Amino acid sequence: RRRRTPIDMAMNMFRLMGDVSHQIAIVILTLHLYQAKNARGISIKTQELRLLVFSTRYLDLFTTFYSTYNSIVKVYYLVAAIGILVMCKTNPIKRL
């Protein structure tokens, strides 16, 4: 296996744009859950699958260090996925 060089790990503009848009989406979803005080329209099963995907996708966080940015973003995504799932499960769906 080829060792990664600093050029391979350099920030890519498209990756940065993807990370920023993902973080904005997480903030918007979190604000929606907080303001609405319910999880209407948000699938809890989808959020559980999202947490499962991020948990398995970022297992290398504990074995390989790529960069501080990479580690911070991975931890942020995991914590955000857990927080969103907790908010969905603790905010009951209010019926009109």
Side-chain angles (χ1 to χ4, degrees), residues 6-31:
I7 293 172
D8 293 333
M9 294 185 285
M11 278 306 289
N12 180 332
M13 177 182 66
F14 296 106
R15 178 181 176 183
L16 184 60
M17 288 175 16
D19 286 344
V20 169
S21 65
H22 192 189
Q23 291 170 5
I24 290 170
I26 290 170
V27 168
I28 290 170
L29 179 57
T30 305
L31 287 174

Side-chain angles (χ1 to χ4, degrees), residues 20-48:
V20 169
S21 65
H22 192 189
Q23 291 170 5
I24 290 170
I26 290 170
V27 168
I28 290 170
L29 179 57
T30 305
L31 287 174
H32 169 75
L33 286 168
Y34 181 76
Q35 289 175 347
K37 303 283 190 241
N38 68 52
R40 178 179 287 159
I42 299 170
S43 170
I44 293 177
K45 287 182 183 179
T46 300
Q47 297 307 317
E48 291 170 340

